[in-house]
Amino acid sequence: MCVKILVLLTGGTIGSSVSGGVISADEGTSSLLTQLYCQRYGRHHVFTVKRIMNTLSENLVKNTLSEMLSAVLSENLSGYDGLIITHGTDSLAFSAPLAAFVLRKLPCPIAVVSANYPLEDKRSNGVYNFASAVALLGSGEAENGQVYVPWRNSNGENIIHLASRVRRADCYSDDVSSFGSEPFGEVKNGIFVRNKYMKELPKDDFDFSPDSFNIKNSVLVLSAYPTFDYSLIDFSEKNRPCAVLQCLYHSATACTVGESESACEFILRCKKKGIPVYGCSFKYTSGEFYETGVKLLESGLIPLKNISEEAAFAKLTFAYNCGYENVEEIIDKNLCSEILPRP
């Protein structure tokens, strides 16, 4: 089956070259990805390639990330069977779920494709990832508006992740996993095979979708670890986040003792300044809790249930910047399968 795919290039490792031992985003690689794909797999599909940006993903800031997503929203996708967005790997696990929220209403499925090494490096998985995206988009299994991340792990498996559940790559192996250890499927011998053990994905019943996307409000992300000193964080009226995401220990706990180390004291301080503090991830919000978790909730922590840290950051960024007035309505909904069923 011949599929027609729009390929939007943004830079990243998959669009980089090496010179003098330095890897840099290179506009000269614009046609290399599709050329290598066609050399390896044949010319069975129609690709329209367009560059919308050229940057390393670690350099994506509020204005450039906004420009990238708004550029995708403005594309005329009529006549295309799917959309592929190339992206760097470093911030992929944050940008991809944000794209999943912003692009939910597009009329075709989307794959965000990246690589562990530049394409001309024989170790690169970039062409494999692109081929997996093509196989998925031509399978009939991918849903319109859903964003996927294909990734070939070091064991040779070509895994398809939901962008709303993809995790950061392992710093040693470069392997990528899904939150809850349930990927969407796998590409075997060029054919997409859906994960038969994955629970049925919920339907998105939220009609709102932005025509463009502009990030003006920042979410501050904090991670729980021993000796964390909250007194080092002091918000002024002119320099403050729209919200704080407190990433908790796996049992939905954080330190609750000590004057400067207590997350409870920090939550109360934020509450006085009108800054909401969200905590992830809770498996449930009723039943038995550790006393530390109870204290966090009593202090005003807003629980986010069964969602990855990356997707929680993306969801809060979307909610506080998409222009929809009722932020909590967005937070409570399962927009793109980012919230897993209760275990």
Side-chain angles (χ1 to χ4, degrees), residues 215-226:
I215 304 173
K216 293 183 177 179
N217 303 309
S218 297
V219 176
L220 177 65
V221 181
L222 304 176
S223 292
Y225 59 83

Side-chain angles (χ1 to χ4, degrees), residues 102-322:
V102 175
L103 308 179
R104 294 167 27 254
K105 299 301 181 181
L106 291 189
C108 67
I110 306 106
V112 182
V113 175
S114 55
N116 55 349
Y117 294 97
L119 292 174
E120 294 180 317
D121 189 318
K122 64 181 181 180
R123 298 170 295 175
S124 178
N125 63 6
V127 178
Y128 290 109
N129 296 338
F130 187 84
S132 292
V134 174
L136 170 68
L137 297 178
S139 69
E141 293 277 359
E143 297 183 9
N144 290 349
Q146 186 70 267
V147 183
Y148 305 88
V149 176
W151 187 263
R152 183 182 178 89
N153 279 334
S154 57
N155 61 4
E157 293 180 341
N158 300 298
I159 306 299
I160 304 292
H161 306 273
L162 292 175
S164 59
R165 299 183 184 179
V166 72
R167 304 302 308 269
R168 280 168 282 190
D170 184 281
C171 294
Y172 181 74
S173 67
D174 293 333
D175 287 351
V176 170
S177 61
S178 284
F179 182 64
S181 301
E182 279 197 348
F184 183 66
E186 183 179 359
V187 173
K188 297 182 178 181
N189 299 317
I191 299 173
F192 171 71
V193 180
R194 187 161 180 165
N195 178 6
K196 63 181 180 180
Y197 299 106
M198 175 177 269
K199 297 179 178 66
E200 183 177 354
L201 300 179
K203 297 297 181 182
D204 176 12
D205 61 355
F206 188 54
D207 291 332
F208 175 80
S209 179
D211 296 323
S212 62
F213 190 68
N214 187 13
I215 304 173
K216 293 183 177 179
N217 303 309
S218 297
V219 176
L220 177 65
V221 181
L222 304 176
S223 292
Y225 59 83
T227 76
F228 190 101
D229 189 346
Y230 290 95
S231 68
L232 299 175
I233 305 171
D234 188 20
F235 304 125
S236 68
E237 289 301 317
K238 293 184 179 180
N239 187 25
R240 51 189 284 165
C242 62
V244 174
L245 174 63
Q246 173 67 70
C247 300
L248 306 168
Y249 294 122
H250 81 101
S251 298
T253 63
C255 179
T256 59
V257 299
E259 186 174 344
S260 61
E261 293 93 348
S262 171
C264 295
E265 295 301 318
F266 174 73
I267 294 166
L268 292 171
R269 181 154 56 92
C270 288
K271 193 173 182 179
K272 290 179 181 178
K273 292 180 176 288
I275 302 172
V277 181
Y278 297 84
C280 80
S281 176
F282 286 77
K283 292 184 180 68
Y284 41 80
T285 52
S286 61
E288 296 179 347
F289 281 95
Y290 286 94
E291 63 178 35
T292 44
V294 172
K295 290 179 180 179
L296 293 174
L297 294 173
E298 289 175 346
S299 299
L301 183 72
I302 304 169
L304 301 178
K305 294 178 289 185
N306 300 317
I307 185 173
S308 72
E309 297 173 3
E310 296 90 341
F313 159 78
K315 191 172 191 177
L316 291 174
T317 299
F318 174 73
Y320 280 92
N321 289 281
C322 68

